[in-house]
Amino acid sequence: MEENNNNIFEPRIIAFVCNWCTYAGADLTGTSRIKYATNVEIVRFPCTGRIDFMLLLKAFAGGADGIIISGCHPNDCHYTSGNFHARRRWMVFRDMLDFMGIDIERIRWSWVSAAEGAKWADVVNDTVGKIREMGPYTEYKKAAKFLEEEKIIHE
Amino acid sequence: MSKLSEKAATLLSEGTVKMIIGYEQGTERPRPAFCHKPEDCERLIFNDQCSNNLAVYLTKKEIIGEDKVGVVGNYYVIKTVIQLNRENQINLQNLVVMTVDGDDIITFGSIDEMQQYVDTHEPVPNEKVLAVIEKIDKMSRSERWDYWKSELSKCVRCYACRAACPLCYCNRCVTEVNCPQWIEPWAAPLSNMEWQINRVMHMSGRCVGCGECAAACPLELPIGILTKKMGMDIKNTFGGWKDGSVLSTYNVNDKENFIK
Amino acid sequence: MSKIGVFICHCGENISATVDCERVAKSASEMEGVAFATDYKYMCSDPGQSLIKNAIREYHLDGVVVGSCSPRMHEPTFRRACSEAGLNPYLCEIANLREHVSWVHEKSEATTLKAIDIVKGVVEKVRRNKPLNAIEVPITKKALVIGGGIAGIQASLDIANCGQKVILIEKGPSIGGHMSQLSETFPTLDCSQCILTPRMVEVAQHPNITLYTYAELEKLDGFIGNFKATIRLKAKSVDYNKCTGCGLCTTKCPQKKIPSEFNEGLGTRTAIFTPFPQAVPNKPAIDKEHCNYYQKGKCKVCQKFCPTGAIEYDKPDEFITEDIGAVIVTTGFNVLKTDFFPEYGYGKYKDVITGLQFERLASASGPTLGEIRRPSDGQIPKKIVFISCCGSRDPAKGIPYCSKICCMYTAKHAMLYQHKVHDGESTIFYMDVRAGGKNYEEFVRRAVEEDHVNYVRGRVARVYEKNGKLIVKGVDTLLGAKPVEIEADMVVLATAGVANKGAEELAQKMHISYDPYHFFAEAHPKLKPVETNTAGIFLAGACQAPKDIPETVASASGAAVKAVSLLSQPTLVREPIVAVVNRCAPPMFSTCVGCFMCETICPYNAIEHEEIKDRRTGKVIKTVAKINPGLCQGCGTCVSFCRSKSIDIQGYTNEEMFAEVTALLNK
Amino acid sequence: MERLIIKSDQIHTWLAKIIETVPRVLAPVKTGSKAEFKEIKDAGSVAYDVITTTSSVKASAFPNTETLFAYEKQGTDTKIYDVAEENFLDTVIWRARPCDAVGFGPLTKIFNWDYKDKLYNERFSRLVVVSFACDKADGCCFCTSVGGGPGNTAGSDIMLTKINDKETLVEVLTDKGQKLIDLCKDCFTKADDSIDKESVLAKIPVRFTREQIHEKLAKSFESPIWKAQSERCLGCGACAFVCPTCACFDIQEGAHGNHGRRVRCWDSCGFTLFTQHTSGHNPRPTQATRWRQRVMHKFSYMPDRLDIYGCTGCGRCSRACPVDMNIAEHLTNIANNE
């Protein structure tokens, strides 16, 4: 579903969130009945420290146009330091992706606490808006579909 | 017989070590040599051309066995030994680490001595590598993507980069994990890139910068640029790192301007 | 081929109003590995759960996906249902269709498609889920109570009376907390000390309670049932084994003009002091900041006079570590000082005081022995103004919440004043009078009707001094915003209840969460009011939010029951969401290469070294990592760090997460 | 077989005509200091001054990664899509070396041993190999020791030999080759019988014979030489991947939800995992056993079973090896091993 009836590009975004802060925050967005865009689908992890960087690349390869990563604010990690380790991992990862020309502007990093239901809605809407403006991540999808590029298959 | 050969032969004949790993003259440039008997040691040489990172053999059980071995390595071998020791991969008791400095053969008595040597003998950075990094840095993002996609599309996944790296000692590499299949095992532009991204992430803060990954690549792909750039970024971001891995430690005050 | 059952809940209309549940169920029935899919109005209801149970039996399901409210809500409910039907509970997962879909999106095609996607992701995960069994770990039968106010006292006594050991630590020199400062308590007007001090003594004498005063939590390691607390015993400079509590030292100490904390600065104390006569323990400690010896290097008067030679200077703080099974945090609260209020003179008018200071004036043991006298000149105020909601319910002041206790204690203050100063005139400026509680409204009515307290609905704009009088300027909103000006002799501010200083650091030490105002956060505002998000740590009293005494005591007893119910179990059964290092066939034994870089990653020191030995020769073949399942809390940081993917985390395995992420995107 | 002469400056014209006519022309193109076979669109882009490319040209018939079939699950049914061979491109391999051309011999035998590999055969049938005889060799070249030579025509459809700066001898070896000649008939003249090709060829000493190796291998299975030679081997797949005759492959599944592809990709007997069993047992547990397998396979098992040797003497593995496992040197040692 890349385009709806109005020909507006509807990006597909996967959100990788920790269970204790952002997942709970997104629950609060729900209990507060704050509306946001439908483009983001949430995957729950125990902690941001658990989020494997390869899963981000897999999301892009699978056709995601954008990614949200969110967890507990510094010092609030349910496991004390998972978010600190994750933060370091992302620092190195971002630099590397950027150097290789992978579009890090399509990855939104955020801290959303269990109390920040409204912030979650903002993060989602903001990211959807930004990715919509950027358009589909065609070049990455194309690279991922290397085998399918060959027109050598008949039924 | 050179001083080096003599020293090595003595270590073997006295029974201090059962094997000496060093360099010998190969087809066009020096290559790794394994001396088991004093007379083998005549082949040993040491010069600026001796670039193989011999530490790669120190984690291979089938090569070093249970016995004490000596290694006559270059700067990067020493640096790698320090890192391997941090990572519990070698038994220093069973290792005699040596290098050649001018006419002298230095035998290291401890990790501290090796560290001191490493701190005071840093080789000049490879200007060519730096120039390529600068060139890539100046590109636009899509140019960078095109550059790497085109370069890494040539990769045939022979894993010479992995095999030549002394710190790629895993019994099972992430590329060999198939539940789930993190990286598709066949050569294809994206899986080739993913392999290199994994390699770099796994090396972050650990890479000693010997450049053997790039030297091993039969296709001359610029993969050494990636590890070098990662090293530079880490130095910029974290101001260097002492204890081995930047990714297994953290600082509460790490910059997080990208997290909004 | 898996046989997953998918159950889509309408949640009444909470989900079905915006999501086409029938269609989600139909799509799910076509997903690979799904053997049965249906939708139902209330899946969490008894018939709903029966529906799941019956389907498990009828279709021999090997996995269940419930599309419903957040897993944080009903995951345990549905897992229990599955378990009752013979399915391993960890083969049941929740697709969050309410909080993450129906409540946040309008009714549309996209909303239903998103619901289908989420269900598909969870189905793919469940297809890979493995049955897991709960982990049993031993429990240290001892509770730690932090804070010796009424909450800590009540919790300690309740636990101790159940036969469990308690360590109570209090950072001040005596237990008792704010309650010991109060004069009389609403709504019964019984003397606070009279009801509190027997309990304090009981704490001191209870064989199951170890009391450490002048003590603070330094560090808390470990996890539920198995905490290790490091406690700092601050040096008191007095050896309590020798001290008899005769009090001679406190009469001899030359430093006599130190503002007394107990009296909220309205009285003085000495440098070696017992905070109040009924203190427990009733032995003095030296306040180093004011002691001549510590500040100037000489004096030692107390040592000279001490008949038992109990004074010991220059003794460093001591640290003790205690194994603890459960922790109750009862660190209480504080009230804002008058200097927080520029409009009321930044605290520079001596006769503008806080409610807590008024308590001391009204207290028989207070600096005025219970007579209401102005701090400035000791005169009895003839006109007194009470201002409620000072700071509270004022987002501009950063305190949007209601401090809850002020309405009642202000009414009490006015009453006490009227009882003590018969010709006095008292006025209360209020926003609303919140008197919810047993006999509370009656109490306020009594203040108005029997004690003729003058209630003015309106806010006070300014208080300023003029000719020795405090001019209180406000409006009476019930009289059409008519300006009111009172020449008062004394003004009492019902300042907002706030979190203690350092609450944030303490929370971080214990890894519990706190709200934006640094009050500690409960695990659930309604259903888990005394639990924190960290298992084994409970909350009671005003460290959570301002509370009155009955509420504090009730929560303390509640937390005590939670702690006791934990400590009274033979072992602790934990969720098996822990990391595991793989094992494989020889000669590799494990894909772990033993680099042990994961050790520094783990916040719980759960990663241990395991030597794999040759069975015949006993020789070590390989040293690999091993996770202590008792220590592991399941954050999974090691999992994504491990280069060779040799660690995985049960319940969130690489295969499961990979499948879920890719399934969301795959066609 | 016809012997023709082409003027050196006409070669360009001829190639241009080939590029214009044939859907795909592969030729060595410079990549850094080395060269690789790549599709060319311009006759000027051929790198003539390199001895060999890093990789062999085998990928033209046996790609590094190729789809075997695709599938799509539809409910309980699975739909299979086969590869449409008719879409494979007719291809001219320009400026192959004799050692490249001869490599298709063993490859073709391997892929037709018992199962006739349709995909390989279809691709191979579309190849026309235009080889250039070697006037230069380097220290890694040893074709003459394995039955080949710098002017060996086996496997080529056309062979060009530069006789002098002006003239190049063109040996038309097959009908396929003839068709290429026909594209540009005017460029060629009949060659004089007196032209001696041998005299311009590179001189490559014979270090051993295949038969010698074959004979030695028969009794060397337990020899310590394997350990001694392979000590420095790192166990990468570079040698196998650049080899013109290595044909080991892996079969993999590229599954994405309800659809996917089955893929064949190169593998190497040098990898530990190549023979690793699920049980944990590895019949070739050390690099020495894997090195032995590599040599045995090419010089013992293949001649025994397929009646062809698995080495063309191109020396690519020696050049590609990060630790200078020089195969000619090792084979010489084996030949001389007592």
Side-chain angles (χ1 to χ4, degrees):
Chain A
M1 189 202 53
E2 289 210 343
E3 289 193 352
N4 63 15
N5 297 336
N6 306 323
N7 284 335
I8 297 169
F9 163 59
E10 290 296 345
R12 302 211 58 179
I13 296 169
I14 302 290
F16 297 80
V17 309
C18 83
N19 179 44
W20 302 98
C21 289
T22 307
Y23 195 91
D27 275 0
L28 181 60
T29 320
T31 36
S32 317
R33 309 296 201 282
I34 303 169
K35 302 282 182 251
Y36 59 76
T38 54
N39 308 57
V40 173
E41 284 160 17
I42 295 174
V43 186
R44 178 165 73 135
F45 288 79
C47 176
T48 37
R50 168 69 186 92
I51 303 169
D52 201 299
F53 64 83
M54 274 306 288
L55 285 174
L56 274 61
L57 297 182
K58 289 294 147 190
F60 277 145
D65 302 296
I67 286 170
I68 296 174
I69 315 250
S70 180
C72 308
H73 286 269
N75 292 319
D76 288 357
C77 176
H78 181 73
Y79 307 100
T80 4
S81 55
N83 55 354
F84 288 133
H85 284 294
R87 186 171 66 186
R88 277 226 156 168
R89 186 181 306 149
W90 305 133
M91 287 164 87
V92 177
F93 189 59
R94 280 179 94 250
D95 284 348
M96 188 44 45
L97 292 194
D98 193 35
F99 186 65
M100 294 180 78
I102 293 166
D103 198 348
I104 53 173
E105 294 300 314
R106 291 178 181 274
I107 312 177
R108 167 73 181 266
W109 276 274
S110 193
W111 302 135
V112 174
S113 80
E116 294 174 319
K119 181 174 176 187
W120 175 249
D122 285 347
V123 166
V124 168
N125 287 334
D126 186 51
T127 311
V128 171
K130 197 171 160 198
I131 304 290
R132 187 175 281 140
E133 226 166 79
M134 293 171 88
Y137 198 8
T138 320
E139 60 185 19
Y140 204 93
K141 289 179 205 179
K142 219 178 128 193
K145 294 210 158 46
F146 163 73
L147 285 175
E148 280 84 341
E149 295 276 289
E150 279 184 292
K151 289 196 182 63
I152 54 163
I153 302 290
H154 58 190
E155 292 191 15
Chain B
M1 221 182 183
S2 72
K3 230 171 148 178
L4 167 63
S5 299
E6 267 173 42
K7 166 87 181 171
T10 315
L11 285 173
L12 282 170
S13 59
E14 284 175 351
T16 315
V17 298
K18 277 275 161 60
M19 176 169 67
I20 297 274
I21 308 175
Y23 302 97
E24 66 183 11
Q25 190 52 49
T27 313
E28 302 211 321
R29 56 189 185 99
R31 66 188 179 199
F34 298 79
C35 307
H36 300 271
K37 298 189 289 281
E39 55 268 37
D40 297 341
C41 297
E42 265 182 67
R43 294 183 287 148
L44 288 179
I45 57 163
F46 194 95
N47 58 42
D48 289 349
Q49 301 295 305
C50 297
S51 60
N52 293 102
N53 192 329
L54 303 178
V56 73
Y57 299 108
L58 301 180
T59 53
K60 291 188 198 293
K61 266 264 161 67
E62 62 179 89
I63 299 292
I64 60 162
E66 301 292 322
D67 298 315
K68 194 162 184 164
V69 300
V71 59
V72 191
N74 59 21
Y75 169 87
Y76 291 109
V77 174
I78 316 301
K79 198 167 173 187
T80 310
V81 167
I82 298 169
Q83 185 65 21
L84 286 174
N85 181 57
R86 278 188 198 122
E87 299 180 10
N88 303 297
Q89 297 303 311
I90 48 169
N91 178 2
L92 282 178
Q93 254 65 54
N94 266 358
L95 196 58
V96 179
V97 183
M98 292 167 281
T99 190
V100 181
D101 196 351
D103 276 345
D104 298 327
I105 292 147
I106 303 172
T107 307
F108 297 97
S110 67
I111 287 289
D112 287 347
E113 284 179 34
M114 292 182 218
Q115 188 65 53
Q116 202 182 357
Y117 179 85
V118 165
D119 289 343
T120 50
H121 289 74
E122 196 161 349
V124 282
N126 186 333
E127 290 296 335
K128 270 192 205 152
V129 169
L130 297 181
V132 178
I133 291 176
E134 206 184 319
K135 185 185 91 186
I136 297 170
D137 273 337
K138 279 186 187 144
M139 294 179 184
S140 71
R141 188 198 59 77
S142 65
E143 284 168 344
R144 289 198 295 275
W145 167 260
D146 290 342
Y147 172 84
W148 284 109
K149 193 182 156 209
S150 123
E151 285 298 327
L152 295 178
S153 295
K154 300 172 196 161
C155 167
V156 290
R157 297 284 272 282
C158 69
Y159 296 118
C161 44
R162 180 179 78 187
C165 175
L167 291 167
C168 273
Y169 51 70
C170 286
N171 293 151
R172 178 189 65 172
C173 175
V174 62
T175 57
E176 289 156 3
V177 180
N178 58 7
C179 285
Q181 187 90 60
W182 287 109
I183 304 170
E184 290 172 341
W186 53 87
L190 196 68
S191 61
N192 294 352
M193 285 178 106
E194 286 175 344
W195 155 236
Q196 286 301 331
I197 291 170
N198 266 270
R199 204 177 66 80
V200 173
M201 285 300 285
H202 289 182
M203 294 309 297
S204 51
R206 304 169 60 233
C207 176
V208 295
C210 65
E212 280 301 283
C213 47
C217 181
L219 304 169
E220 297 185 307
L221 301 181
I223 51 175
I225 303 288
L226 292 172
T227 34
K228 178 70 192 169
K229 168 72 176 170
M230 173 272 297
M232 288 162 62
D233 284 344
I234 286 177
K235 207 164 186 178
N236 285 340
T237 318
F238 305 107
W241 65 100
K242 270 275 176 228
D243 52 352
S245 174
V246 278
L247 294 191
S248 58
T249 52
Y250 68 89
N251 184 331
V252 178
N253 301 317
D254 281 339
K255 282 197 203 93
E256 56 165 48
N257 48 5
F258 63 96
I259 303 173
K260 288 168 227 148
Chain C
M1 187 71 176
S2 40
K3 281 182 274 185
I4 309 287
V6 179
F7 302 87
I8 307 299
C9 178
H10 293 217
C11 194
E13 285 193 339
N14 277 306
I15 296 174
S16 59
T18 57
V19 172
D20 183 345
C21 292
E22 223 171 292
R23 192 171 145 207
V24 175
K26 188 170 176 304
S27 291
S29 69
E30 288 159 7
M31 289 173 193
E32 209 177 328
V34 173
F36 176 76
T38 191
D39 58 312
Y40 186 69
K41 196 126 188 126
Y42 288 108
M43 213 50 96
C44 61
S45 68
D46 261 357
Q49 291 189 44
S50 299
L51 195 156
I52 297 175
K53 289 185 208 171
N54 292 338
I56 292 174
R57 293 189 192 106
E58 190 177 338
Y59 298 95
H60 305 287
L61 300 180
D62 56 11
V64 162
V65 174
V66 187
S68 62
C69 52
S70 171
R72 299 168 64 82
M73 196 74 183
H74 273 313
E75 191 178 73
T77 313
F78 291 120
R79 285 191 166 169
R80 203 179 315 118
C82 288
S83 185
E84 282 163 15
L87 185 73
N88 185 288
Y90 296 95
L91 299 175
C92 166
E93 298 258 5
I94 311 298
N96 189 339
L97 302 188
R98 196 179 72 178
E99 281 83 345
H100 290 187
V101 185
S102 69
W103 277 354
V104 289
H105 305 315
E106 306 291 349
K107 183 176 183 146
S108 75
E109 171 80 2
T111 305
T112 298
L113 287 177
K114 177 175 169 181
I116 293 171
D117 266 350
I118 290 178
V119 169
K120 190 171 64 179
V122 179
V123 165
E124 283 300 314
K125 178 172 190 289
V126 172
R127 287 180 69 192
R128 286 154 183 86
N129 275 17
K130 302 268 185 301
L132 301 174
N133 295 310
I135 297 170
E136 285 191 29
V137 283
I139 296 172
T140 307
K141 311 253 175 210
K142 198 190 287 173
L144 172 70
V145 178
I146 306 170
I150 181 58
I153 290 170
Q154 182 68 35
S156 299
L157 288 173
D158 284 348
I159 296 170
N161 288 336
C162 287
Q164 302 288 354
K165 298 279 181 205
V166 180
I167 292 179
L168 172 62
I169 62 172
E170 162 59 44
K171 74 173 173 192
S174 169
I175 58 171
H178 284 309
M179 189 175 168
S180 65
Q181 292 176 286
L182 306 185
S183 51
E184 285 163 19
T185 57
F186 62 79
T188 46
L189 294 188
D190 43 358
C191 153
S192 181
Q193 295 237 352
C194 309
I195 55 175
L196 177 66
T197 45
R199 299 254 166 142
M200 290 163 63
V201 174
E202 202 183 334
V203 164
Q205 292 173 348
H206 204 295
N208 281 343
I209 300 178
T210 309
L211 171 66
Y212 295 111
T213 51
Y214 239 46
E216 283 178 38
L217 182 73
E218 189 71 13
K219 206 165 93 182
L220 188 71
D221 293 325
F223 57 96
I224 179 169
N226 296 273
F227 294 107
K228 209 171 211 55
T230 307
I231 299 162
R232 174 194 287 266
L233 302 178
K234 294 182 284 184
K236 300 179 178 110
S237 308
V238 177
D239 181 349
Y240 276 24
N241 291 326
K242 291 184 185 158
C243 174
T244 59
C246 71
L248 186 61
C249 52
T250 60
T251 60
K252 298 292 179 191
C253 178
Q255 278 286 2
K256 294 196 192 301
K257 299 223 161 140
I258 305 161
S260 155
E261 294 83 1
F262 182 75
N263 282 327
E264 291 296 320
L266 297 180
T268 59
R269 62 164 172 85
T270 48
I272 184 163
F273 74 111
T274 310
F276 54 100
Q278 301 90 335
V280 170
N282 205 334
K283 293 178 181 178
I286 296 181
D287 164 18
K288 291 180 187 168
E289 274 177 36
H290 293 97
C291 169
N292 281 350
Y293 169 72
Y294 281 105
Q295 295 304 317
K296 295 173 193 147
K298 33 180 186 191
C299 179
K300 292 199 177 182
V301 170
C302 48
Q303 195 176 46
K304 202 156 68 196
F305 284 98
C306 179
T308 61
I311 308 294
E312 43 178 23
Y313 300 109
D314 302 321
K315 217 175 159 231
D317 293 356
E318 267 181 73
F319 294 92
I320 54 168
T321 55
E322 291 276 359
D323 289 324
I324 299 292
V327 180
I328 299 182
V329 188
T330 55
T331 50
F333 77 126
N334 218 326
V335 295
L336 284 176
K337 299 276 179 271
T338 50
D339 58 6
F340 185 74
F341 301 94
E343 66 273 36
Y344 307 144
Y346 282 115
K348 69 180 179 222
Y349 308 135
K350 278 189 176 166
D351 297 331
V352 177
I353 62 170
T354 66
L356 202 49
Q357 285 174 317
F358 188 85
E359 293 284 351
R360 294 313 301 148
L361 291 182
S363 169
S365 69
T368 57
L369 301 176
E371 286 186 15
I372 309 294
R373 289 181 181 278
R374 311 207 310 179
S376 58
D377 53 11
Q379 295 295 307
I380 293 175
K382 295 293 175 195
K383 252 189 191 176
I384 187 162
V385 170
F386 296 91
I387 306 175
S388 60
C389 290
C390 282
S392 309
R393 304 176 68 195
D394 190 351
K397 292 248 187 241
I399 306 170
Y401 58 84
C402 165
S403 293
K404 195 169 187 180
I405 50 177
C406 327
C407 289
M408 292 307 296
Y409 77 62
T410 303
K412 177 189 79 181
H413 287 172
M415 262 170 139
L416 291 178
Y417 171 75
Q418 293 295 4
H419 294 171
K420 290 182 189 226
V421 185
H422 299 292
D423 57 343
E425 201 179 292
S426 59
T427 306
I428 297 178
F429 282 90
Y430 70 101
M431 283 162 75
D432 299 290
V433 175
R434 298 186 163 175
K438 199 169 178 177
N439 290 326
Y440 284 14
E441 177 62 18
E442 296 90 317
F443 183 77
V444 174
R445 291 318 304 169
R446 242 167 68 204
V448 177
E449 286 160 12
E450 291 175 20
D451 295 315
H452 309 295
V453 175
N454 181 23
Y455 269 78
V456 178
R457 187 176 191 279
R459 302 203 76 165
V460 172
R462 258 184 89 198
V463 174
Y464 58 95
E465 218 169 31
K466 200 169 153 192
N467 305 328
K469 293 277 182 192
L470 291 162
I471 313 297
V472 180
K473 282 191 127 169
V475 286
D476 187 338
T477 54
L478 294 182
L479 294 175
K482 192 186 106 186
V484 180
E485 192 176 304
I486 298 175
E487 283 188 13
D489 298 315
M490 192 158 137
V491 175
V492 181
L493 307 180
T495 58
V498 292
N500 266 326
K501 227 183 200 166
E504 199 182 346
E505 288 82 34
L506 183 65
Q508 288 169 5
K509 261 181 210 167
M510 296 186 291
H511 319 312
I512 61 174
S513 26
Y514 47 88
D515 68 15
Y517 318 107
H518 298 178
F519 284 116
F520 301 143
E522 52 284 318
H524 190 282
K526 292 173 208 115
L527 302 175
K528 289 184 172 181
V530 297
E531 289 96 326
T532 64
N533 262 334
T534 304
I537 302 185
F538 307 100
L539 302 174
C543 62
Q544 250 178 306
K547 285 184 185 158
D548 60 23
I549 295 168
E551 208 185 341
T552 296
V553 171
S555 72
S557 291
V561 167
K562 290 286 171 189
V564 167
S565 67
L566 170 64
L567 300 181
S568 56
Q569 289 171 47
T571 53
L572 173 68
V573 180
R574 287 190 49 223
E575 285 236 358
I577 310 300
V578 293
V580 179
V581 179
N582 73 17
R583 287 292 178 269
C584 60
M588 209 192 255
F589 297 99
S590 167
T591 59
C592 170
V593 270
C595 73
F596 293 108
M597 299 185 90
C598 48
E599 272 179 311
T600 52
I601 284 269
C602 181
Y604 304 101
N605 297 320
I607 295 171
E608 299 171 350
H609 293 228
E610 187 188 26
E611 291 181 336
I612 292 172
K613 291 177 177 158
D614 186 301
R615 277 208 203 146
R616 271 166 298 172
T617 63
K619 224 182 84 194
V620 176
I621 302 168
K622 200 174 177 186
T623 307
V624 298
K626 183 176 188 272
I627 313 276
N628 179 335
L631 292 169
C632 174
Q633 293 297 292
C635 69
T637 308
C638 56
V639 177
S640 43
F641 173 75
C642 180
R643 300 190 295 277
S644 60
K645 304 282 171 207
S646 300
I647 317 181
D648 216 334
I649 174 169
Q650 298 185 150
Y652 293 93
T653 64
N654 283 325
E655 244 195 302
E656 290 161 11
M657 300 323 293
F658 189 98
E660 185 173 345
V661 170
T662 47
L664 289 176
L665 293 156
N666 280 334
K667 271 199 278 308
Chain D
M1 191 183 91
E2 201 180 4
R3 278 158 58 97
L4 303 170
I5 287 290
I6 187 166
K7 292 264 187 302
S8 292
D9 53 4
Q10 291 285 309
I11 293 179
H12 190 90
T13 318
W14 179 35
L15 176 58
K17 189 77 195 168
I18 293 174
I19 293 171
E20 199 183 300
T21 322
V22 181
R24 184 169 72 144
V25 177
L26 302 176
V29 174
K30 270 271 187 196
T31 55
S33 65
K34 299 180 182 175
E36 286 287 23
F37 279 102
K38 284 188 173 173
E39 185 172 1
I40 55 162
K41 299 285 184 201
D42 167 21
S45 51
V46 183
Y48 287 105
D49 57 342
V50 290
I51 291 170
T52 61
T53 50
T54 303
S55 308
S56 76
V57 75
K58 76 175 169 193
S60 56
F62 170 39
N64 191 322
T65 303
E66 69 181 316
T67 302
L68 300 179
F69 61 83
Y71 62 85
E72 194 180 341
K73 289 184 204 162
Q74 295 168 336
T76 49
D77 290 339
T78 304
K79 205 166 180 191
I80 303 284
Y81 302 90
D82 281 324
V83 173
E85 307 84 21
E86 61 271 22
N87 291 340
F88 291 168
L89 297 177
D90 284 334
T91 301
V92 165
I93 298 169
W94 180 262
R95 205 221 171 247
R97 285 303 193 188
C99 53
D100 284 317
V102 80
F104 286 111
L107 270 190
T108 304
K109 285 214 169 179
I110 290 166
F111 282 111
N112 291 280
W113 174 36
D114 48 1
Y115 173 73
K116 309 280 176 260
D117 193 289
K118 198 166 141 203
L119 294 180
Y120 171 84
N121 289 337
E122 288 287 347
R123 287 186 209 271
F124 179 61
S125 70
R126 286 167 173 75
L127 299 182
V128 187
V129 182
V130 182
S131 305
F132 281 53
C134 304
D135 53 354
K136 273 185 288 188
D138 67 11
C140 293
C141 291
F142 65 105
C143 53
T144 52
S145 306
V146 289
N152 182 21
T153 54
S156 301
D157 295 296
I158 295 176
M159 173 159 283
L160 275 65
T161 310
K162 188 176 159 191
I163 300 301
N164 53 45
D165 284 348
K166 287 191 182 135
E167 288 182 324
T168 295
L169 174 71
V170 181
E171 293 169 275
V172 187
L173 302 158
T174 65
D175 291 346
K176 275 190 195 171
Q178 186 59 47
K179 284 190 184 133
L180 285 191
I181 301 292
D182 294 346
L183 288 177
C184 203
K185 276 189 177 136
D186 300 347
C187 295
F188 302 95
T189 53
K190 273 259 179 257
D192 189 337
D193 282 350
S194 66
I195 291 174
D196 176 20
K197 172 178 152 186
E198 291 303 318
S199 64
V200 296
L201 296 179
K203 302 288 176 279
I204 303 167
V206 178
R207 306 207 219 175
F208 51 85
T209 67
R210 292 183 293 186
E211 292 67 28
Q212 245 181 317
I213 305 284
H214 186 260
E215 197 186 316
K216 276 279 160 56
L217 290 184
K219 44 196 179 185
S220 308
F221 197 79
E222 304 294 346
S223 168
I225 197 164
W226 306 116
K227 167 86 164 51
Q229 291 191 344
S230 69
E231 264 179 326
R232 65 174 177 272
C233 173
L234 297 170
C236 73
C239 48
F241 285 13
V242 298
C243 177
T245 73
C246 270
C248 287
F249 56 78
D250 197 1
I251 302 275
Q252 291 282 352
E253 205 82 17
H256 298 284
N258 64 352
H259 66 283
R261 291 187 173 215
R262 184 157 296 171
V263 171
R264 166 159 84 187
C265 57
W266 291 355
D267 204 342
S268 164
C269 59
F271 292 145
T272 322
L273 242 59
F274 189 74
T275 45
Q276 178 86 48
H277 295 186
T278 311
S279 67
H281 172 65
N282 193 338
R284 292 182 208 141
T286 61
Q287 208 55 39
T289 55
R290 296 189 277 273
W291 167 245
R292 177 179 65 196
Q293 165 64 20
R294 181 169 171 77
V295 176
M296 287 277 187
H297 190 239
K298 292 185 179 303
F299 290 91
S300 185
Y301 310 150
M302 279 179 69
D304 288 352
R305 294 187 161 203
L306 304 176
D307 198 25
I308 195 162
Y309 283 83
C311 178
T312 69
C314 67
R316 282 196 172 86
C317 52
S318 309
R319 291 182 204 100
C321 182
V323 288
D324 194 31
M325 290 278 284
N326 188 313
I327 192 164
E329 186 187 327
H330 284 331
L331 289 170
T332 311
N333 289 337
I334 291 168
N336 299 331
N337 190 27
E338 288 313 315

